[in-house]
């Protein structure tokens, strides 16, 4: 028989951890001696019970969700539950869920007048504003899918994106209408559509869970930009399975949860930042364009609105942390750092 002793630093390990390591070592020895010709990389350190726990029990994460629904249907359902709750905040202006329903119904009706239905791709040329989010929601509620068109892009790049998606219509803020005027497509000005008179009566959207929700393009750094088409069923599955966010599941009441929206709408994570709040009854505070260039304003925005959720890329967030004085907002519950490597120094500052 073989006997042994494990010596360890109590400041680094507890007894249960060492016992587990020792048990795996014993199991390894038993399996190697029982089958000496087996390559070492094929010898498992887990017994049958642990293997069942890791592979089956921990991965049994299936949960019911409205798999036949679309994202805009989830928004419409939420708006019917909390019509008077604040949905959007921008530069001192507030929009309730009921008002956002009215605004986006008007836009959707106009788009349907252009023939937009399920799987139609509509360009959205807009900067950070209530109209940006209203454009996303209104396009989806018409049955179409949106493709972001950054108004800072050269007109040839915008034309390329529009042609690739075969957009028949582009929705644009009035200040950027000149950019899309030469593209040879129908143009719908957001302000005129959303804030016009009328109830925005919609016809059959011809849209279901397998219809397109949005199209996002790669940067094109390795060649021509490539469009990625996302269906509603994928977006809904993500919205209902994202357990990394406390929106609607955290310590705060759903209708009191406040999220800050600073990401570019050409960045894929912006989808979660916008649609998680709007389908859970939370409040979405929209920063002004290029707000990362003004860290003090961004910090005051977080404090003023008691922001609880923030989605951000590490590099600009590091600049933000270096530029502001004082602690982050006391109400901040979660920071989603995404899109690139996270330096340990940023984590240390946050803690």
């Amino acid at each position: 028989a073989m006997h042994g002793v494990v010596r360890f630093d109590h400041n680094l390990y507890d007894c249960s951890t060492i016992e587990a390591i020792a048990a795996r070592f014993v199991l390894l020895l038993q399996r190697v001696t029982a089958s000496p010709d087996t390559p070492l990389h094929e010898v498992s350190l887990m017994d049958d019970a642990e293997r069942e726990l890791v592979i089956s029990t921990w991965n049994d994460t299936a949960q019911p969700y409205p798999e036949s629904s679309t994202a805009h249907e989830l928004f419409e359902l939420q708006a019917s539950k909390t019509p008077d709750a604040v949905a959007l905040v921008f530069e001192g202006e507030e929009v309730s869920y009921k008002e956002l329903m009215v605004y986006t119904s008007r836009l959707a009706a106009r788009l349907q007048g252009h023939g937009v239905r399920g799987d139609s791709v509509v360009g959205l040329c807009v900067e950070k504003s209530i109209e940006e989010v209203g454009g996303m929601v209104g396009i989806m509620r018409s049955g179409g899918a949106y493709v972001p068109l950054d108004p800072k892009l050269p007109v040839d790049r915008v034309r390329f994106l529009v042609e690739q998606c075969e957009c028949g219509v582009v929705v644009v803020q009035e200040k950027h209408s000149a950019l899309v005027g030469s593209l040879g497509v129908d143009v719908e000005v957001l302000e005129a559509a959303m804030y016009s008179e009328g109830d925005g009566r919609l016809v059959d959207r011809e849209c279901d869970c397998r219809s397109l929700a949005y199209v996002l393009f790669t940067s094109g750094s390795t060649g021509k930009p490539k469009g990625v088409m996302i269906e509603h069923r994928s977006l809904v599955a993500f919205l209902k399975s994202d357990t990394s966010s406390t929106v609607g599941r955290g310590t705060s009441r759903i209708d009191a949860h406040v999220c800050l929206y600073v990401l570019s709408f050409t960045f894929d994570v912006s989808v979660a930042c916008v649609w998680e709040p709007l389908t859970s009854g939370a409040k979405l505070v929209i920063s002004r364009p290029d707000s990362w260039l003004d860290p003090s304003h961004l910090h005051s925005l977080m404090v003023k609105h008691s922001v609880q959720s923030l989605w951000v890329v590490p590099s600009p967030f590091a600049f933000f942390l270096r530029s502001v004085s004082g602690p982050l907002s006391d109400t901040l519950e979660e920071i989603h750092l995404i899109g690139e490597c996270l330096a340990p120094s940023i984590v240390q500052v946050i803690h």
Side-chain angles (χ1 to χ4, degrees):
M2 181 182 294
H3 301 279
V5 176
V6 179
R7 300 183 184 277
F8 63 97
D9 187 341
H10 285 273
N11 295 319
L12 300 178
Y13 302 97
D14 55 32
C15 289
S16 61
T17 300
I18 298 302
E19 288 171 356
I21 293 174
R24 285 176 174 80
F25 183 66
V26 170
L27 181 63
L28 173 64
L29 293 177
Q30 291 173 340
R31 288 180 171 174
V32 167
T33 54
S35 182
D37 295 329
T38 302
L40 191 59
H41 69 272
E42 294 182 7
V43 180
S44 175
L45 296 180
M46 294 188 291
D47 59 25
D48 293 341
E50 185 178 14
R51 185 176 179 83
E52 176 69 18
L53 174 67
V54 173
I55 293 179
S56 299
T57 305
W58 286 352
N59 281 302
D60 185 15
T61 58
Q63 55 182 314
Y65 72 97
E67 55 188 292
S68 62
S69 295
T70 60
H72 53 269
E73 287 172 342
L74 297 183
F75 162 72
E76 291 166 349
L77 177 62
Q78 183 59 53
S80 69
K81 295 178 179 177
T82 55
D84 298 323
V86 176
L88 306 176
V89 178
F90 178 70
E91 296 288 86
E93 181 181 357
E94 294 186 347
V95 175
S96 69
Y97 276 85
K98 180 180 180 180
E99 290 171 326
L100 188 56
M101 277 287 289
V102 172
Y103 295 159
T104 56
S105 291
R106 292 168 180 164
L107 173 59
R110 288 208 182 192
L111 292 175
Q112 288 189 336
H114 290 279
V116 174
R117 297 292 188 276
D119 287 334
S120 300
V121 181
V122 178
L124 179 59
C125 186
V126 63
E127 63 185 30
K128 276 282 170 289
S129 59
I130 287 172
E131 289 76 34
E132 180 183 287
V133 177
M136 295 179 191
V137 177
I139 291 170
M140 280 199 194
R141 294 193 62 216
S142 72
Y146 73 87
V147 56
L149 306 173
D150 190 336
K152 294 180 182 177
L153 293 174
V155 66
D156 287 343
R157 174 66 178 268
V158 174
R159 180 179 289 107
F160 171 80
L161 300 178
V162 168
E163 290 175 351
Q164 285 291 298
C165 293
E166 299 181 349
C167 297
V169 58
V170 172
V171 174
V172 62
Q173 273 177 311
E174 186 173 10
K175 66 172 75 175
H176 301 300
S177 56
L179 176 64
V180 301
S182 62
L183 299 180
V185 296
D186 292 341
V187 176
E188 194 65 60
V189 176
L190 271 163
E191 291 89 341
M194 289 175 58
Y195 308 130
S196 63
E197 297 296 327
D199 57 1
R201 193 176 301 276
L202 302 179
V203 298
D204 184 8
R205 290 184 276 227
E206 301 174 16
C207 172
D208 59 28
C209 65
R210 293 180 179 270
S211 300
L212 290 182
Y214 59 93
V215 179
L216 292 179
F217 276 78
T218 61
S219 64
S221 57
T222 58
K224 284 189 175 182
K226 299 173 180 63
V228 180
M229 302 181 292
I230 305 299
E231 297 179 349
H232 278 279
R233 57 177 176 164
S234 298
L235 176 54
V236 170
F238 170 75
L239 293 174
K240 293 301 180 181
S241 65
D242 181 17
T243 56
S244 68
S245 175
T246 60
V247 180
R249 292 179 288 276
T251 58
S252 56
R253 296 185 356 258
I254 295 177
D255 61 355
H257 202 98
V258 183
C259 307
L260 181 59
Y261 177 36
V262 298
L263 297 172
S264 168
F265 73 146
T266 60
F267 185 30
D268 58 351
V269 183
S270 67
V271 178
C273 189
V274 170
W275 287 92
E276 277 195 5
L278 292 185
T279 55
S280 64
K283 179 193 298 182
L284 187 65
V285 177
I286 306 168
S287 69
R288 60 187 170 193
D290 298 321
S291 55
W292 285 116
L293 301 178
D294 189 356
S296 61
H297 168 73
L298 201 57
H299 184 255
S300 64
L301 202 63
M302 294 171 61
V303 174
K304 177 181 178 180
H305 295 285
S306 301
V307 168
Q308 292 153 294
S309 295
L310 174 65
W311 299 68
V312 63
V313 178
S315 293
F317 189 61
F319 170 71
F320 169 79
L321 291 175
R322 291 193 301 267
S323 304
V324 299
S325 58
L328 298 176
S329 174
D330 292 338
T331 59
L332 200 59
E333 296 179 0
E334 59 185 26
I335 303 174
H336 300 258
L337 293 155
I338 32 77
E340 62 184 29
C341 293
L342 176 59
S345 58
I346 298 179
V347 179
Q348 292 171 0
V349 172
I350 293 172
H351 284 300

